[in-house]
Amino acid sequence: DEEHFQLPFTCIRIPAEADEEEWVNERIEQMTSVPFQLEREYPCRMVALKGTKRTFLYHLFHHVVMDGRTLQVCIKRISEIYNQLKRHDYQEQSQVADLLTYHELLNREYGLKREENIHYWKQYIADKPLRLPLPQSETGQKEETGTSSDCSSHTLKEQTFMLAFTLGCERYQEVKNFCQERETTPFRVFASVWALTLAKICAADQLLLDHAINLCPSAFKHLLGVFINNLPLRYDFTDPNSTFMDLIDEANRHRSEERDKNCLFYHDLLQHETPNIGINYPLRYTSITLELDGCSCAFFRHVHVPLTQDLVLSIEDNDQGDCTLFFKPTLDKAYPQDLVHASL
């Protein structure tokens, strides 16, 4: 009914003879690779992987029903339900009214502003190249692994189709100090550095970065719902006299405008192709942790689904500025490494 439905939840026993973490890592990679069939299943999956000493809770959500903030609410509610059931004082908490209010708000905003916003964004990306030509690999990638050191310096760790690196605690603090002085944000600084690096290495004078934005109005922070949209971020390097501070100022203006022009579907703007370069500044994953009475709970890992773009730079909001460059196996192996070293 509208108040209750059964979430798809299964429990799998980890073989006693298996190395738990290795077995769990392989299993969740397999499960994550299976696409959702939205016409036949709920856009969420939850699985408990039970070992002799530990239980791993795996959850996978489609972005149409879950964003970072809503995931925090979900995990908090799961913790509350577990603890209440353990104390034999479970209390139902209806969230249908919040969801209906959210949908009414969203439909009203899109109905009033959609055409105006589509016009704005079509003008914004007019004559800008959607896709940046990138060097392709002739032989494909081979899996390699490396090690990383502590956060006192820039470190680099290579994995299959990923390059993980960190700015280091001191450098990341410098970024935060710079943001306070310039009244900007780390995302805008990282996006500008990323765009400038790509432009120099690719000899491009214009480019678009695909990025996700949380659009929840401040007056509706109490609502549950997915206020997430993807929008393009424009960079223009045709003026030889422009400086990095000009890039920051432009990013500040853009981010202010896009919050007033966000009521459109990406498909309305880009019907066939989307930018092949992206940037993501996600929620700190270690902040999404179950708090179960009598249990010791810790974040295990975050699994990325296959890329739709060729290159995505992801920055985690932690004390040392951990970054991961995700790239498709079709790219020249040296190219992502050159990008990382040039960015640092």
Side-chain angles (χ1 to χ4, degrees), residues 11-172:
C11 184
I12 301 174
R13 292 281 180 181
I14 301 173
E17 68 278 8
D19 178 287
E20 281 193 352
E21 290 199 5
E22 180 179 345
W23 190 92
V24 168
N25 276 316
E26 291 179 358
R27 192 60 182 254
I28 63 178
E29 289 284 356
Q30 294 170 3
M31 293 188 293
T32 304
S33 67
V34 179
F36 280 109
Q37 299 184 47
L38 296 180
E39 72 279 6
R40 287 190 287 179
E41 66 173 319
Y42 287 118
C44 54
R45 300 174 186 148
M46 300 194 78
V47 179
L49 306 169
K50 300 195 69 173
T52 55
K53 296 182 179 179
R54 291 186 294 176
T55 298
F56 299 82
L57 179 63
Y58 164 85
H59 52 81
L60 178 67
F61 297 98
H62 196 292
H63 220 327
V64 297
V65 296
M66 192 71 69
D67 60 17
R69 176 182 168 272
T70 313
L71 180 58
Q72 286 181 310
V73 175
C74 176
I75 296 300
K76 180 181 178 181
R77 182 60 184 150
I78 290 175
S79 300
E80 290 174 347
I81 292 173
Y82 176 93
N83 294 332
Q84 288 173 355
L85 289 172
K86 189 174 181 180
R87 297 192 303 265
H88 305 289
D89 65 347
Y90 171 66
Q91 301 172 20
E92 289 190 7
Q93 180 179 326
S94 175
Q95 298 169 334
V96 173
D98 277 351
L99 289 170
L100 291 176
T101 302
Y102 155 70
H103 285 294
E104 290 172 3
L105 167 69
L106 197 64
N107 289 333
R108 183 173 70 248
E109 291 292 302
Y110 270 62
L112 292 173
K113 300 178 180 178
R114 183 176 174 185
E115 293 301 322
E116 173 190 339
N117 289 182
I118 291 174
H119 176 74
Y120 167 83
W121 285 103
K122 285 186 175 179
Q123 291 293 112
Y124 181 84
I125 67 171
D127 302 323
K128 301 295 184 294
L130 280 180
R131 305 183 70 80
L132 199 64
L134 301 173
Q136 301 297 304
S137 171
E138 296 181 358
T139 58
Q141 301 280 5
K142 294 182 180 180
E143 182 173 350
E144 297 182 19
T145 59
T147 59
S148 61
S149 59
D150 61 23
C151 67
S152 60
S153 61
H154 313 315
T155 60
L156 180 65
K157 180 175 61 176
E158 184 176 354
Q159 301 174 8
T160 308
F161 314 145
M162 297 166 52
L163 284 174
F165 61 100
T166 178
L167 297 179
C169 303
E170 184 176 347
R171 175 66 64 86
Y172 194 42

Side-chain angles (χ1 to χ4, degrees), residues 226-240:
V226 186
F227 287 85
I228 288 290
N229 204 349
N230 272 58
L231 294 172
L233 184 59
R234 178 185 67 194
Y235 281 94
D236 191 320
F237 301 97
T238 54
D239 183 356

